């Protein structure tokens, strides 16, 4: 890390050098990338700066998703280096996920040079246009005198809420020129803004008048560090709390008022939840994120809707809002809690307490029913995800972090390993697959002292399985569990819903949902990339495999073969 005295660097260096020193001035000491020829001068200079760790990946989407994990855990701008048009093309899907999740990624990509841009040569393309739909800001440096100011602008945009990925194309000839710019830290503006007292007053009055207040929250709560304030507001009101479109920890999963998340795929699942309240408080998210959302009214016709968010675009984007406020969630929720405590009557306190007890009792009954169902099939073949999660919960260290891309296998994980505090868990988001393994590696790089476990599926893992090689190369001791059910289980569940909605009789799933033939041996793949692994197929193998996984701080993979709806013989006849 640079000292203050070395921020202002002497002139006479090329853009390759000055760009690295700009990143160091901004505290960016990890770079996730995959090299190309047009970045050769920059990467040649990089080796002289031991302050930056270059995390080599074998494919651009892996680098992007690894950086996504690092950025989400640090909530700071994180550096990604990609190649020209083929490289950024490979990363577009992963960038979409980063944009939906507001990851502050600073993506730099090389190009052969400004002087070649009219030649339509090999790898030529409109790189800025390619990246614009999946970034918060996309630009090209066209003059060496504006290299550093453009980088600082991009870093500022990435880090200013609502955060998001940015792309800067840095042509090779611009970087090779002598750069006279001064290196200085990027200025990130504060967004800790509090609404007018009258707005807090109106919000408190509407919520206290409600007979059934509801709260819907997302990553804006996490990014603002507002979990404690949110919980206090929920407790004062006795309001159910649902997560909407989130990828980070937002509330203690064991709290009686926390009810999990609304639907991801179908608005018909979410509508009974969103329509039952008479006053809805939305904080740090938007309504609603399903793939097939409800096109009509999602709230009760008489319900009031209040929305607090730093992202003005999300307020009243698709559904009505009675009171929308651009504000910092943490400061605003604390002010709201104070005002609620000032205005609440004894009768309202009693009602809120009773409501909390009823909500908590119903939640416990559901959890107990799920655990009872787990007990009925425990120890039987084929393995259930709950068998593994129950044993893991007894052995996992207290400082553990889970990166959860298990999707259909996720419920048992949070049932037996409920996240309790910020940093306990990160989830996939954005609808794309492949972040489970690289995301866990990114978190482990930031927190080498913690046990980091990445859960993924057999389908999702194959998008980015090359990340195992990077874990071995850089000796990143993350742990990986592939929930291997032999197919795209989520697609099977979704088509069940489709058939039901269209009154189509249930029948065999489409064979493209089946991954059972030829069988993928994830343990053997891992070993070929330098990561030790075990395959678990029987109940008695679970405990020893977990013990082996947790025995040291080296990367390790468990190929967990669990129940699936598969037809390998039928697939083999294709």
């Amino acid at each position: 890390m640079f000292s203050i005295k070395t921020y202002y660097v002497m002139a006479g260096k090329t853009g390759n050098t000055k760009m690295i020193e700009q990143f160091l001035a901004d505290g960016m000491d990890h770079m996730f990338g995959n090299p190309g020829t047009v970045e050769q001068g920059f990467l040649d200079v990089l080796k002289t700066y031991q302050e930056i760790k270059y995390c080599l990946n074998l494919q651009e989407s892996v680098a992007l998703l690894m950086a996504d994990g690092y950025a989400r855990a640090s909530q700071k701008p994180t550096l990604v280096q990609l190649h020209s048009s083929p490289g950024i093309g490979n990363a577009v899907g992963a960038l979409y996920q980063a944009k939906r999740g507001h990851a502050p990624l600073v993506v730099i990509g090389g190009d052969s040079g400004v002087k070649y841009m009219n030649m339509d040569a090999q790898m030529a393309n409109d790189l800025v246009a390619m990246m614009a739909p999946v970034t918060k800001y996309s630009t090209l440096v066209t003059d060496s005198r504006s290299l550093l100011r453009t980088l600082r602008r991009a870093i500022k945009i990435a880090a200013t809420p609502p955060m998001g990925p940015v792309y800067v194309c840095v042509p090779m000839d611009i970087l090779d020129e002598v750069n006279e710019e001064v290196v200085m830290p990027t200025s990130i503006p504060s967004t800790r803004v509090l609404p007018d007292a009258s707005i807090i007053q109106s919000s408190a009055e509407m919520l206290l008048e409600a007979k059934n207040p509801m709260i819907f929250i997302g990553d804006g709560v996490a990014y603002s560090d507002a979990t404690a304030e949110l919980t206090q507001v929920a407790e004062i009101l006795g309001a159910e709390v649902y997560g909407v479109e989130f990828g980070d920890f937002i509330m203690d999963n064991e709290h009686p008022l926390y009810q999990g998340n609304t639907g991801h795929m179908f608005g018909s699942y979410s509508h009974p939840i969103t329509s039952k309240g008479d006053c809805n408080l939305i904080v740090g998210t938007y309504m609603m994120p399903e793939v097939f959302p409800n096109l009509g009214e999602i709230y009760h016709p008489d319900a009031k809707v209040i929305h607090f968010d730093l992202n003005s675009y999300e307020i009243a984007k698709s559904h009505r809002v009675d009171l929308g406020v651009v504000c910092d969630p943490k400061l605003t929720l604390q002010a709201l809690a104070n005002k609620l405590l000032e205005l609440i009557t004894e009768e309202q306190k009693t009602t809120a307490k009773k409501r909390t007890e009823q909500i908590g009792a119903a939640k416990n009954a559901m959890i107990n029913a799920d655990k009872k169902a787990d007990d009925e099939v425990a120890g039987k073949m084929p393995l259930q995800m709950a068998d593994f999660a129950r044993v893991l919960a007894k052995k996992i260290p207290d400082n553990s972090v889970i990166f959860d891309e298990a999707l259909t296998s996720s419920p048992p994980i949070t049932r037996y390993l409920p996240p309790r505090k910020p940093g306990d868990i990160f989830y996939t988001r954005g609808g794309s697959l492949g972040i489970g393994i690289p995301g866990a590696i990114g978190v482990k790089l930031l927190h080498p002292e913690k046990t980091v476990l990445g859960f993924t599926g057999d389908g999702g893992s194959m998008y980015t399985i090359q990340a195992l090689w990077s874990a071995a190369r850089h000796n990143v001791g993350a742990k990986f569990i592939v929930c291997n059910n032999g197919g795209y289980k989520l697609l099977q569940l979704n088509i069940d819903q489709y058939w039901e909605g269209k009154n189509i009789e249930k029948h065999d799933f489409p064979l493209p949902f089946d991954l059972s033939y030829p069988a993928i041996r994830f343990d053997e793949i891992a070993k070929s990339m330098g990561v030790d692994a075990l395959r678990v197929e029987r109940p008695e193998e679970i405990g020893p495999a977990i013990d082996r996984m947790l025995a040291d701080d080296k990367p390790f993979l468990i190929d967990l073969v669990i129940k699936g709806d598969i037809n390998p013989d039928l697939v083999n006849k294709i």
Side-chain angles (χ1 to χ4, degrees):
M1 184 68 67
F2 274 19
S3 67
I4 296 297
K5 293 181 180 179
T6 56
Y7 279 143
Y8 294 88
V9 182
M10 296 297 292
K13 301 177 180 180
T14 69
N16 290 305
T17 298
K18 297 293 278 293
M19 182 166 66
I20 295 171
E21 292 176 349
Q22 179 63 54
F23 294 142
L24 287 171
D26 283 315
M28 303 168 78
D29 56 7
H30 281 71
M31 182 184 300
F32 301 86
N34 179 264
T37 300
V38 296
E39 296 85 27
Q40 57 193 0
F42 163 66
L43 294 173
D44 188 43
V45 172
L46 182 64
K47 69 178 184 294
T48 65
Y49 286 83
Q50 300 301 312
E51 302 95 326
I52 290 187
K53 179 180 179 65
Y54 187 91
C55 300
L56 178 62
N57 293 272
L58 301 179
Q59 208 263 4
E60 289 82 0
S61 63
V62 180
L64 203 293
L65 293 172
M66 197 177 295
D68 190 352
Y70 189 95
R72 291 167 63 180
S74 66
Q75 293 189 18
K76 294 180 180 179
T78 299
L79 188 58
V80 183
Q81 173 267 315
L82 301 178
H83 189 37
S84 189
S85 49
I88 65 175
N90 285 339
V92 162
L95 261 172
Y96 173 80
Q97 175 164 245
K99 183 182 181 182
R100 297 294 294 195
H102 301 289
L105 301 181
V106 178
V107 181
I108 58 168
D111 187 72
S112 57
V114 174
K115 61 186 177 184
Y116 300 118
M117 287 187 175
N118 289 330
M119 300 299 291
D120 193 24
Q122 183 79 354
M123 295 194 296
N125 209 332
D126 189 342
L127 306 181
V128 173
M130 285 179 67
M131 297 293 264
V134 291
T135 57
K136 188 180 175 186
Y137 174 67
S138 180
T139 192
L140 164 72
V141 180
T142 58
D143 192 297
S144 62
R145 292 167 294 183
S146 289
L147 171 63
L148 300 191
R149 70 160 53 94
T150 303
L151 289 171
R152 286 193 293 268
R153 182 188 307 150
I155 293 168
K156 181 200 74 171
I157 292 171
T160 303
M163 297 184 295
V166 297
Y167 168 71
V168 181
C169 179
V170 284
M172 192 172 181
D173 51 4
I174 297 292
L175 294 181
D176 285 341
E177 290 182 21
V178 171
N179 188 290
E180 303 290 346
E181 291 179 280
V182 175
V183 176
M184 65 185 75
T186 299
S187 176
I188 311 297
S190 172
T191 56
R192 291 291 189 185
V193 290
L194 184 66
D196 185 82
S198 63
I199 293 176
I200 299 297
Q201 177 83 20
S202 297
S203 301
E205 290 173 352
M206 281 192 281
L207 288 163
L208 287 173
E209 290 171 1
K211 303 299 182 184
N212 188 24
M214 301 281 290
I215 302 178
F216 300 93
I217 61 175
D219 280 334
V221 171
Y223 296 157
S224 183
D225 188 28
T227 299
E229 291 78 8
L230 179 280
T231 302
Q232 185 183 16
V233 168
E235 289 173 345
I236 295 169
L237 296 171
E240 291 182 86
V241 180
Y242 284 87
V244 182
E245 182 70 356
F246 61 98
D248 289 17
F249 175 90
I250 50 176
M251 188 174 179
D252 181 356
N253 279 211
E254 290 197 333
H255 196 287
L257 293 173
Y258 182 69
Q259 302 298 299
N261 57 287
T262 57
H264 163 71
M265 189 62 59
F266 300 101
S268 57
Y269 177 91
S270 301
H271 188 259
I273 299 171
T274 61
S275 61
K276 65 180 179 180
D278 55 353
C279 188
N280 302 289
L281 173 62
I282 305 159
V283 187
T285 190
Y286 72 97
M287 307 293 275
M288 290 295 294
E290 305 101 348
V291 177
F292 302 100
N294 192 321
L295 297 178
E297 173 68 86
I298 65 170
Y299 307 114
H300 188 280
D302 298 325
K304 300 292 186 181
V305 182
I306 305 166
H307 194 154
F308 297 157
D309 207 329
L310 275 172
N311 191 348
S312 61
Y313 172 73
E314 303 293 8
I315 299 174
K317 179 176 72 174
S318 300
H319 297 285
R320 65 180 178 87
V321 168
D322 296 291
L323 181 58
V325 190
V326 178
C327 58
D328 174 64
K330 185 180 183 71
L331 295 182
T332 306
L333 288 169
Q334 185 58 70
L336 177 61
N338 292 340
K339 182 56 66 173
L340 289 169
L341 290 173
E342 176 187 324
L343 298 179
I344 193 169
T345 66
E346 290 302 318
E347 182 181 359
Q348 289 169 332
K349 288 180 182 179
T350 300
T351 301
K353 182 179 179 181
K354 182 179 180 180
R355 197 159 47 222
T356 298
E357 291 171 351
Q358 292 172 340
I359 293 169
K363 177 179 178 178
N364 286 335
M366 290 179 61
I367 293 173
N368 291 335
D370 288 337
K371 289 184 175 180
K372 182 179 180 181
D374 293 339
D375 291 339
E376 291 174 356
V377 294
K380 298 178 181 179
M381 292 292 293
L383 281 180
Q384 304 285 334
M385 188 63 205
D387 294 328
F388 184 87
R390 190 163 23 214
V391 177
L392 181 64
K394 298 175 181 177
K395 295 177 177 290
I396 195 171
D398 291 337
N399 72 338
S400 298
V401 180
I402 289 175
F403 206 111
D404 182 9
E405 194 198 22
L407 299 178
T408 57
S409 294
S410 291
I413 297 173
T414 51
R415 185 152 62 241
Y416 294 99
L417 294 156
R420 303 296 310 278
K421 63 184 186 303
D424 276 0
I425 196 165
F426 299 92
Y427 302 93
T428 185
R429 73 269 174 103
S432 58
L433 294 176
I435 197 173
I437 293 176
I441 295 171
V443 174
K444 179 66 175 178
L445 280 164
L446 182 70
H447 294 299
E449 77 286 359
K450 294 185 178 182
T451 298
V452 179
L453 300 97
F455 285 86
T456 185
D458 45 348
S461 65
M462 289 303 294
Y463 281 64
T464 54
I465 198 71
Q466 311 97 311
L468 295 172
W469 181 89
S470 297
R473 177 184 176 93
H474 298 293
N475 194 29
V476 183
K479 315 298 181 181
F480 313 105
I481 298 94
V482 178
C483 306
N484 185 355
N485 57 25
Y488 291 121
K489 181 67 176 178
L490 184 61
L491 297 183
Q492 294 174 343
L493 294 177
N494 289 343
I495 202 169
D496 273 337
Q497 293 286 323
Y498 174 78
W499 290 335
E500 182 179 341
K502 298 292 184 180
N503 294 316
I504 298 173
E505 186 176 347
K506 183 176 174 62
H507 51 277
D508 290 340
F509 293 120
L511 289 182
F513 296 178
D514 194 318
L515 304 176
S516 61
Y517 181 85
I520 304 173
R521 289 293 301 246
F522 293 97
D523 55 332
E524 295 177 3
I525 293 174
K527 290 176 183 177
S528 75
M529 295 188 185
V531 174
D532 198 7
L534 285 173
R535 185 174 175 91
V536 172
E537 300 177 273
R538 301 190 59 80
E540 63 269 19
E541 297 171 347
I542 294 175
I546 293 174
D547 290 338
R548 173 64 192 89
M549 177 178 71
L550 300 176
D552 54 40
D553 196 31
K554 297 179 181 180
F556 193 91
L557 181 141
I558 291 179
D559 182 0
L560 182 64
V561 182
I562 57 176
K563 182 181 179 181
D565 192 328
I566 57 176
N567 294 283
D569 294 338
L570 190 58
V571 175
N572 191 24
K573 295 178 182 179
I574 296 176

